[in-house]
């Protein structure tokens, strides 16, 4: 079983030695990370708090940002803001509040907090920054974030800090997908990438809501996905054909007569795209909902567009949760409704090794960096 390190006993103990951090010095390979010690501890500005970081989760976005997939400056494919360097990555921050900036009146100092990594601007969902991307994040001993983004962890929450660091990015993405796709009790739901960070969150959440889940994963990870709540599992090879999906779907209960009669799903929650996209769309019932938050198998899949309009499908792009959705997610976590799935923990100085292991995709769940 996984052995998790204890939470730090004294969150101020490294203050005299300055800050430790993994600094990203530019776009490129793992050599772009430099582990630094003795850095100046950031000072919280108006509306901010200083956190002694206990742990921080690893996400796909860390790798893609480092590689320049979002913001290599001349990249036309995204509207992502180009980064300034050096940058400290790491979005899934948990830790203890050490200091408050001006104007912060909430009783946060000394409390353990879970950080919402999405910093919403005046335009709500469409005007936002992300911790570890546009601003420095948690692959460090200390970081500053807006006080409004820190959610106090209740004393009765028994999860360890490294476990709490496994939730924020993946689970907020999953919860936003579910809310956007309007997943209901009794519906059939196809979930791609069901053994990854977002996928395992989707499986748990859909099962919690009473939906009937068909997960797509590898044979080696099928049992783990079933244990999370999937009632049926198919391999990626089986999911590459419509028949492979519909055959599995017929083993699931169905509330909708249309879904039951045609072997259809009501909803697809996709983080993979690529060659699986068209079979998943074909397996959706008329007026079904397709929600996507990733394209790790290919950004330019072939699509038969008449399928969309002839079946009157809803096409839903999903990225970051709203403020209210993140609060809902935090409550589910604190209430013990969602399981933390920490596959491995790496010390801060070994971030390169953590990302190397992350890219192998041989694990189920999340990797976490111990920053204590």
């Amino acid at each position: 079983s996984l052995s998790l390190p204890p939470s730090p006993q004294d969150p101020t103990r490294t203050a005299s030695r300055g800050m430790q951090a993994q600094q990203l010095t530019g776009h490129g390979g793992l050599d772009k990370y430099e582990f630094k010690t003795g850095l100046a501890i950031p000072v919280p500005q108006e509306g901010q708090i200083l956190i002694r970081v206990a742990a921080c989760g690893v996400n796909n976005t860390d790798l893609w940002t480092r590689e320049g997939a979002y913001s290599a400056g001349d990249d036309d494919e995204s509207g992502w803001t180009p980064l300034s360097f050096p940058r400290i990555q790491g979005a899934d921050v948990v830790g203890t509040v050490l200091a408050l900036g001006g104007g912060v009146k909430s009783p946060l100092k000394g409390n353990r907090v879970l950080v919402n990594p999405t910093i919403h601007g005046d335009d709500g969902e469409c005007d936002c920054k992300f911790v570890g991307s546009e601003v420095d994040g948690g692959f460090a001993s200390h970081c500053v974030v807006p006080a409004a983004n820190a959610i106090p962890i209740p004393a009765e929450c028994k999860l360890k800090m490294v476990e709490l660091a496994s939730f924020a990015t993946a689970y907020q993405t999953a919860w936003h997908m579910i809310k956007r796709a309007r997943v209901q009790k009794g519906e059939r739901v196809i979930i791609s990438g069901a053994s990854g960070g977002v996928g395992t969150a989707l499986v748990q959440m859909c099962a919690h809501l009473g939906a009937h889940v068909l997960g797509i994963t590898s044979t080696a990870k099928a049992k783990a996905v079933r244990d999370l709540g999937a009632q049926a599992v198919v391999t990626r090879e089986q999911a590459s054909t419509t028949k492979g999906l519909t055959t599995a779907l017929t083993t699931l209960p169905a509330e909708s007569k249309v879904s039951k009669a045609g072997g259809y799903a009501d909803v697809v929650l996709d983080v993979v795209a690529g060659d699986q996209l068209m079979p998943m769309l074909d397996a959706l019932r008329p007026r079904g909902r397709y929600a996507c938050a990733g394209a790790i198998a290919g950004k330019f899949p072939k699509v038969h567009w008449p399928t969309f309009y002839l079946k009157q499908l809803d096409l839903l792009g999903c990225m970051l949760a709203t403020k209210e959705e993140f609060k809902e997610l935090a409550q589910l976590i604190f209430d013990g409704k969602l399981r933390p799935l920490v596959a491995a923990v790496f010390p801060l100085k070994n971030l390169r090794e953590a990302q190397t292991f992350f890219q192998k995709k041989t694990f189920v769940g999340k990797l976490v960096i111990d920053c204590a």
Side-chain angles (χ1 to χ4, degrees):
S1 62
L2 179 67
S3 177
L4 302 177
S7 299
Q9 298 300 309
D10 179 8
T12 66
R13 70 182 188 274
T14 63
S16 62
R17 302 199 302 269
M19 180 175 74
Q20 298 182 349
Q22 287 280 0
Q23 289 188 332
L24 181 66
T25 59
H27 293 299
L30 290 168
D31 62 310
K32 294 297 183 180
Y33 286 121
E34 294 184 5
F35 181 60
K36 297 288 187 70
T37 61
L39 297 172
I41 295 174
V43 176
Q45 302 302 306
E46 187 78 14
Q48 294 182 330
I49 58 173
L50 172 66
I51 296 175
R52 173 61 175 97
V53 182
C56 188
V58 178
N59 294 285
N60 275 313
T61 189
D62 301 321
L63 280 71
W64 295 334
T65 298
R66 169 174 56 77
E67 293 169 353
Y70 295 133
S71 56
D74 58 352
D75 181 6
D76 295 345
E77 295 179 19
S78 78
W80 214 265
T81 304
L83 297 189
S84 59
F85 298 103
R87 172 64 68 219
I88 299 172
Q89 293 182 288
D92 298 353
V93 180
V94 293
T96 302
V97 179
L98 294 183
L100 309 179
V104 180
K105 301 186 184 306
S106 60
L108 286 171
K109 189 172 181 180
N111 286 342
R112 298 189 307 157
V113 292
L114 168 70
V115 173
N116 177 355
T118 308
I119 303 173
H120 292 278
D122 296 335
D123 192 26
E125 293 180 63
C126 298
D127 175 24
C128 55
K129 297 179 181 179
F130 205 64
V131 173
S133 181
E134 288 76 28
V135 299
D136 283 341
F139 291 154
S141 59
H142 301 76
C143 75
V144 293
V145 299
N149 284 61
I151 299 179
I153 300 167
E156 57 269 22
C157 178
K158 302 305 180 185
L159 294 176
K160 295 181 182 292
M161 294 298 259
V162 290
E163 294 175 312
L164 287 164
S166 69
F167 288 112
T169 297
Y171 283 62
Q172 75 154 328
T173 301
W175 190 238
H176 184 58
M177 292 176 75
I178 285 171
K179 300 285 276 193
R180 288 269 284 156
R182 309 181 303 281
V183 175
Q184 303 295 317
K185 179 179 180 180
E187 290 191 313
R188 289 174 172 173
V189 182
I190 297 174
I191 297 174
S192 67
S195 59
V198 178
T200 52
L202 287 169
V203 172
Q204 289 189 69
M205 290 169 176
C206 287
H208 172 69
L209 293 172
H212 307 300
V213 173
L214 169 60
I216 302 173
T217 188
S218 64
T219 301
K221 299 173 183 177
K223 183 182 183 300
V225 172
R226 284 183 182 275
D227 289 345
L228 290 173
Q231 291 167 270
V233 176
V234 294
T235 65
R236 299 184 188 97
E237 292 72 26
Q238 291 170 315
S240 66
T241 67
T242 304
K243 184 177 180 181
L245 290 171
T246 56
T247 299
L249 285 167
T250 57
T251 68
L252 300 180
E255 296 289 319
S256 164
K257 292 181 180 179
V258 175
S259 296
K260 188 172 183 179
Y264 291 124
D266 301 285
V267 179
V268 168
L269 302 174
D270 185 19
V271 294
V272 174
D275 293 340
Q276 291 180 14
L277 175 59
M278 206 57 232
M280 288 190 291
L281 296 180
D282 286 334
L284 267 177
R285 67 168 171 82
R287 297 185 183 274
R289 289 100 68 198
Y290 168 86
C292 181
I296 60 174
K299 294 186 284 187
F300 302 102
K302 293 181 179 179
V303 177
H304 182 251
W305 283 106
T307 300
F308 271 118
Y309 61 79
L310 292 176
K311 292 174 73 173
Q312 302 190 77
L313 302 178
D314 285 357
L315 174 62
L316 303 163
C318 307
M319 188 173 68
L320 303 171
T322 66
K323 294 178 184 179
E324 288 306 313
E325 287 169 349
F326 195 89
K327 290 177 182 177
E328 293 168 356
L329 168 64
Q331 199 58 55
L332 288 171
I333 294 168
F334 299 151
D335 289 345
K337 304 296 185 183
L338 302 172
R339 286 171 52 192
L341 296 168
V342 180
V345 178
F346 292 80
L348 178 60
K349 65 181 180 180
N350 291 353
L351 179 61
R352 293 185 184 185
E353 289 81 354
Q355 289 200 358
T356 299
F357 184 68
F358 185 94
Q359 289 179 295
K360 294 179 180 178
K361 301 294 184 184
T362 55
F363 58 94
V364 175
K366 297 282 295 181
L367 304 185
V368 174
I369 302 300
D370 177 18
C371 304

